[in-house]
């Protein structure tokens, strides 16, 4: 039965068809509303950090202008390398340069350190270093000294503020070349540059940070968000959503011009969505409410339609299996009550009719079985008379006498077969007589062997059920054979002792492919011609006596010869 055609399946599909678009619409509305809030919050915060980016850019631009002015107009910078190193004039010039830098540094404290560097004498003149410890100040000084020693006129440090790393300390460096072998520059530590940004109102657990050109955070309190490793930022995106251990953040960024760093703002998503939390809760409950409502309706339909329909279908399947005593309970629905009463009346009438038909079939089967059983005797009698006739032509009277003696045994057995079953041992004695007759007919051409398990001798089987297979084996099996034709009959019980297997094997030419396919498919037994009447007779006798429990298998042996296996149930159904 195809489940797709059932009423239950169609109702389920209808239920899904109604609920799925509704749920999708509500989820889409929720998603759109949340997205809209995120975009508005991201746009607002992006404008705010753009303002702070411009302030930082302006501050750094003022510092760069000061360095350019000093390199262009300060006579001490222009004459420093012309003096003798460590002479009194050189020392006084260094002091004047340091005083100029210090005066401006006191005026603009956004820079951590300003310096002048003599490329010729490798002499670094700098203001006091803003650092958290003396060791940190030494590290920064040595780092700047190393950068200036390695600096070349084509270096990016001469074209803008660039990020440099001094161990774990990141900072921005700007260098200006005076053209007379003296460099002026400034350094600001990124963490110090971040201090004014802490005043940005990013709400709750929000924070700001700075990222390098690769998008990796190099300054800021990103550990506030519970990020195990500094996340990478896509500065080209309008905004991003990043999830940390402390929640999900909406991330917006804005590059600081004239530098290679980007200002990043992390805004807690929970905070920006607080305003629509009640709306989101309502939307979240609507699909559940709709689902429960439709589920109750489905339960109601199941009670008034599906359950009575299922009971009716179950009753029909039970009737189909042959249980005619099935009766259905009354349904509260008026329509199904009428259907139930009609079904019960129909089942009662069919039960009575089936009993009458079954009894008539039993009588018919018994008569047909008797008819089939009686067909065996004249069939074999004709073959036997033909054998005796051939022997008489040869005037072999001794063989005729032996054959007549075996025929007497043979027909004495057939006269006792008015009963439907005989013992297997009696059937095999009968086969022995039959094969002895065939040996007398074809001296030296036929050998045989009959092997019966001791526990199988008393098994009841239909009389003359094996003989047609032996007849056909002798008739078709050994034509044109140079060696004697050998036939072997074995009778054993299976391990469960439910079946007796009779196995017939010969060394003849076996079944042709066409005949074997016809026998194995069962098509042969539905033919109505008179060829191979014995095999056809045996098959139908087995069907009448045992139904489908008896098995008849045909095959060919690996080397040559036919193989027939007959499985007969030991317990015969009455």
């Amino acid at each position: 039965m195809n489940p797709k055609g059932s009423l239950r399946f169609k109702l389920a599909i209808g239920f899904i068809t109604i609920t799925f678009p509704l749920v999708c619409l509500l989820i889409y509305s929720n998603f759109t509303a949340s997205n809209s809030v995120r975009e508005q919050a991201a746009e607002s915060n992006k404008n705010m950090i753009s303002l702070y980016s411009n302030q930082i850019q302006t501050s750094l631009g003022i510092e760069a202008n000061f360095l350019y002015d000093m390199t262009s107009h300060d006579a001490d910078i222009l004459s420093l390398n012309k003096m003798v190193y460590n002479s009194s004039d050189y020392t006084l010039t260094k002091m004047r340069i340091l005083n100029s830098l210090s005066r401006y540094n006191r005026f603009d404290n956004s820079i951590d350190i300003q310096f002048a560097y003599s490329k010729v004498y490798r002499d670094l003149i700098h203001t006091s270093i803003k650092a958290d410890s003396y060791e940190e100040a030494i590290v920064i000084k040595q780092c700047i000294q190393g950068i200036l020693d390695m600096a070349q006129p084509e270096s990016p440090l001469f074209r803008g503020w660039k990020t440099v790393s001094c161990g774990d300390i990141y900072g921005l460096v700007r260098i200006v070349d005076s053209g007379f072998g003296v460099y002026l520059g400034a350094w600001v530590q990124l963490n110090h540059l971040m201090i004014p940004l802490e005043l940005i109102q990013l709400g709750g657990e929000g924070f700001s940070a700075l990222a390098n050109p690769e998008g990796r955070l190099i300054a800021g309190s990103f550990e506030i968000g519970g990020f195990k490793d500094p996340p990478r930022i896509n500065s080209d995106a309008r905004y991003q959503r990043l999830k940390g251990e402390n929640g999900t953040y909406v991330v917006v960024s804005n590059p600081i011009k004239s530098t290679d760093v980007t200002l990043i703002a992390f805004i807690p998503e929970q905070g920006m969505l607080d305003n629509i939390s009640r709306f989101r809760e309502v939307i979240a409950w609507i699909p559940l409410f709709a689902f429960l409502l439709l589920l109750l309706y489905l339960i109601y339909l199941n009670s008034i339609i599906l359950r009575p329909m299922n009971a009716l279908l179950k009753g029909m399947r039970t009737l189909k299996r042959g249980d005619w005593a099935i009766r259905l309970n009354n349904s509260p629905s008026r329509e199904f009550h009428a259907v139930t009463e009609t079904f019960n009346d129909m089942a009662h009438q069919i039960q009575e009719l089936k009993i009458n038909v079954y009894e008539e079939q039993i009588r018919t089967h018994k008569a047909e079985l008797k008819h089939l059983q009686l067909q065996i005797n004249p069939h074999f009698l004709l073959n036997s008379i033909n054998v005796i006739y051939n022997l008489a032509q040869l005037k072999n009277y001794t063989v005729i006498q032996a054959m007549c003696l075996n025929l007497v045994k043979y027909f004495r057995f057939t006269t006792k077969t008015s009963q439907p079953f005989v013992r297997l041992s009696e059937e095999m004695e009968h086969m022995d007589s039959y094969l002895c007759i065939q040996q007398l007919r074809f001296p030296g051409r036929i050998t045989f062997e009959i092997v019966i398990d001791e526990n199988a001798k008393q098994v009841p089987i239909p009389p003359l059920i094996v003989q047609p297979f032996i007849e056909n084996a002798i008739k078709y099996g050994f034509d044109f054979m140079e060696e004697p034709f050998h036939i072997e009959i074995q009778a054993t019980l299976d391990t469960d002792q439910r079946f007796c297997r009779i196995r017939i094997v010969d060394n003849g030419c076996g079944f042709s492919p066409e005949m074997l396919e016809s026998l194995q498919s069962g098509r042969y037994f539905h033919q109505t011609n008179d060829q191979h009447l014995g095999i056809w007779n045996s098959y139908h006798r087995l069907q009448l006596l045992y139904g489908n429990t008896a098995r008849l298998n045909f095959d060919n042996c690996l080397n040559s010869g036919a193989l027939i296996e007959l499985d007969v149930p030991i317990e015969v159904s009455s």
Side-chain angles (χ1 to χ4, degrees):
M1 181 179 177
N2 185 8
K4 294 183 178 179
S6 65
L7 184 61
R8 189 186 301 273
F9 178 81
K10 292 179 179 179
L11 286 175
I13 291 297
F15 177 77
I16 294 173
T17 304
I18 294 173
T19 55
F20 183 73
L22 177 62
V23 172
C24 289
L25 179 62
L26 294 173
I27 292 174
Y28 175 75
S29 301
N30 193 356
F31 175 78
T32 304
S34 301
N35 242 10
S36 177
V37 171
R38 288 193 198 97
E39 289 182 358
Q40 292 179 10
E43 191 66 28
S44 174
N45 284 277
K46 190 174 182 68
N47 293 334
M48 182 171 57
I49 66 167
S50 295
L51 176 62
Y52 278 89
S53 299
N54 292 335
Q55 290 180 358
I56 294 172
Q57 175 190 344
T58 302
S59 177
L60 295 177
I62 292 172
E63 177 65 23
N65 291 335
F66 166 73
L67 296 177
Y68 276 113
D69 288 342
M70 194 169 177
T71 56
S72 302
H73 303 99
D74 194 305
D76 294 325
I77 297 295
L78 301 176
S79 61
L80 181 64
N81 283 338
K82 297 177 181 179
M83 300 177 183
V84 178
Y85 181 68
N86 276 343
S87 63
S88 57
D89 290 339
Y90 183 84
T91 302
L92 289 173
T93 302
K94 282 178 57 177
M95 293 299 296
R96 287 193 296 271
I97 293 173
L98 181 60
N99 288 334
S100 298
L101 293 175
S102 298
R103 279 197 307 271
Y104 187 80
N105 188 254
R106 286 193 298 271
F107 170 74
D108 182 8
N109 60 1
S110 62
I111 302 301
D112 290 348
I113 176 175
Q114 292 173 315
F115 55 84
Y117 178 74
S118 172
K119 187 71 173 176
V120 176
Y121 300 125
R122 298 184 62 195
D123 190 10
L124 178 63
I125 306 165
H126 62 86
T127 60
S128 61
I129 301 174
K130 297 177 184 179
D132 296 335
S133 64
Y134 176 74
E135 290 78 9
E136 185 177 299
I138 295 299
V139 170
I140 293 173
K141 181 179 178 180
Q142 292 175 350
C143 180
I144 293 174
Q145 181 79 43
I147 292 171
L148 293 171
D149 289 341
M150 300 295 294
Q152 299 295 328
E154 65 274 7
S155 172
L157 296 172
F158 293 94
R159 295 192 295 271
W161 294 88
K162 300 300 177 183
T163 305
V164 295
S165 171
C166 298
D168 295 333
I169 305 169
Y170 287 90
L172 287 175
V173 173
R174 182 71 165 88
I175 302 175
V176 176
D177 188 359
S178 66
F180 293 92
V182 177
Y183 298 157
L184 263 71
W187 153 280
V188 59
Q189 191 173 333
L190 290 183
N191 283 336
H192 295 167
L193 195 64
M194 292 293 301
I195 291 175
L197 298 177
E198 295 177 356
L199 301 176
I200 300 177
Q201 298 298 319
L202 297 177
E205 299 294 328
F207 60 94
S208 57
L210 292 171
N212 62 10
E214 289 77 29
R216 187 169 62 88
L217 299 187
I218 55 177
S221 304
F222 50 82
E223 64 276 0
I224 294 176
F227 296 102
K228 295 181 180 178
D229 298 314
R232 289 189 177 273
I233 306 301
N234 181 11
S235 58
D236 296 329
R238 290 183 61 189
Y239 71 90
Q240 289 179 266
R241 295 180 68 215
L242 298 178
K243 188 171 184 179
E245 292 183 355
N246 297 334
T248 302
Y249 292 83
V250 175
V251 181
V252 292
S253 61
N254 189 76
I256 302 175
K257 295 181 180 179
S258 75
T259 71
D260 59 354
V261 295
T262 301
L263 179 60
I264 313 292
F266 288 76
I267 308 102
E269 186 178 80
Q270 185 61 39
M272 69 174 65
L273 296 178
D274 283 342
N275 295 331
I276 61 167
S277 59
R278 183 173 299 177
F279 177 68
R280 293 177 66 195
E281 289 178 1
V282 171
I283 291 179
W285 281 103
I286 288 177
L288 180 60
F289 176 75
F291 177 79
L292 292 176
L293 187 63
L294 291 172
L295 184 62
L296 290 174
Y297 181 67
L298 191 62
I299 294 173
Y300 174 71
L301 288 179
N302 181 66
S303 175
I304 64 171
I305 297 178
L306 296 182
R307 190 178 298 169
M309 184 68 70
N310 189 47
L312 181 61
L313 292 175
K314 185 177 179 181
M316 290 181 177
R317 286 193 293 268
T318 305
L319 280 180
K320 187 177 181 180
R321 290 194 299 266
D323 185 2
W324 304 105
I326 182 68
R327 299 294 184 270
L328 300 182
N329 297 324
N330 289 329
S331 173
S333 174
R334 183 176 60 186
E335 291 80 2
F336 277 102
H337 179 74
V339 172
T340 300
E341 285 188 345
T342 303
F343 176 87
N344 292 336
D345 290 343
M346 178 187 68
H348 176 71
Q349 294 176 11
I350 292 177
Q351 184 179 16
E352 291 184 350
L353 180 62
K354 188 69 176 179
I355 292 173
N356 295 334
V357 172
Y358 183 71
E359 291 176 350
E360 183 64 29
Q361 285 181 342
I362 290 176
R363 289 190 292 269
T364 303
H365 284 174
K366 287 183 178 179
E368 186 176 354
L369 180 61
K370 187 68 176 177
H371 174 70
L372 290 173
Q373 185 172 328
L374 291 174
Q375 281 185 325
I376 296 295
N377 293 336
H379 180 67
F380 177 69
L381 178 60
L382 293 175
N383 289 336
S384 300
I385 293 173
N386 184 54
V387 170
I388 295 174
Y389 173 77
N390 291 331
L391 290 173
Q393 285 184 325
L394 297 174
K395 299 182 179 181
N396 193 341
Y397 303 113
T398 304
V399 177
I400 291 174
Q401 289 176 348
M403 186 169 183
C404 289
L405 182 60
N406 282 290
L407 281 174
V408 169
K409 292 181 182 179
Y410 179 87
F411 282 104
R412 183 179 293 119
F413 174 80
T414 58
T415 57
K416 298 192 301 180
T417 57
S418 58
Q419 64 269 29
F421 297 97
V422 295
R423 292 193 302 273
L424 180 62
S425 58
E426 295 176 337
E427 179 75 8
M428 291 301 104
E429 289 177 4
H430 177 63
M431 288 299 97
D432 184 83
S433 299
Y434 174 79
L435 288 170
C436 286
I437 294 172
Q438 299 299 337
Q439 281 184 326
L440 292 173
R441 180 186 175 192
F442 304 102
R445 297 288 306 279
I446 296 177
T447 61
F448 69 93
E449 181 181 6
I450 299 176
V451 180
I452 312 174
D453 284 357
E454 190 65 31
N455 56 356
K457 291 183 176 180
Q458 301 301 318
V459 173
I461 66 170
L464 304 177
I465 200 69
V466 180
Q467 179 183 324
F469 304 107
I470 307 298
E471 285 183 0
N472 279 278
I474 294 174
K475 183 176 181 180
Y476 300 103
F478 77 112
D479 289 349
F480 309 107
M481 290 182 60
E482 297 180 357
E483 58 184 7
F485 178 76
H486 181 75
I487 188 165
E488 182 177 341
I489 306 173
Q490 296 178 352
T492 58
L493 298 184
D494 66 348
T495 55
D496 297 334
Q497 295 193 350
R498 295 176 54 222
F499 287 90
C500 175
R501 171 164 291 183
I502 302 172
R503 194 168 186 266
I504 305 167
V505 183
D506 63 58
N507 63 343
C509 58
F511 295 107
S512 66
E514 295 79 10
M515 175 61 73
L516 184 61
E517 191 278 331
S518 178
L519 290 169
Q520 289 178 341
S521 64
R523 190 174 63 253
Y524 168 81
F525 301 108
H526 298 288
Q527 298 174 358
T528 56
N529 55 33
D530 293 333
Q531 295 181 354
H532 310 291
L533 180 61
I535 295 179
W536 187 92
N537 194 313
S538 295
Y539 171 81
H540 284 278
R541 289 175 64 202
L542 290 171
Q543 292 294 310
L544 289 172
L545 289 170
Y546 301 104
N548 293 326
T549 55
R551 295 189 291 266
L552 188 58
N553 300 318
F554 299 87
D555 206 345
N556 285 327
C557 298
L558 292 178
N559 297 325
S560 64
L563 168 62
I564 301 171
E565 290 181 341
L566 174 61
D567 291 341
V568 181
I570 294 176
E571 294 184 1
V572 182
S573 60
S574 57

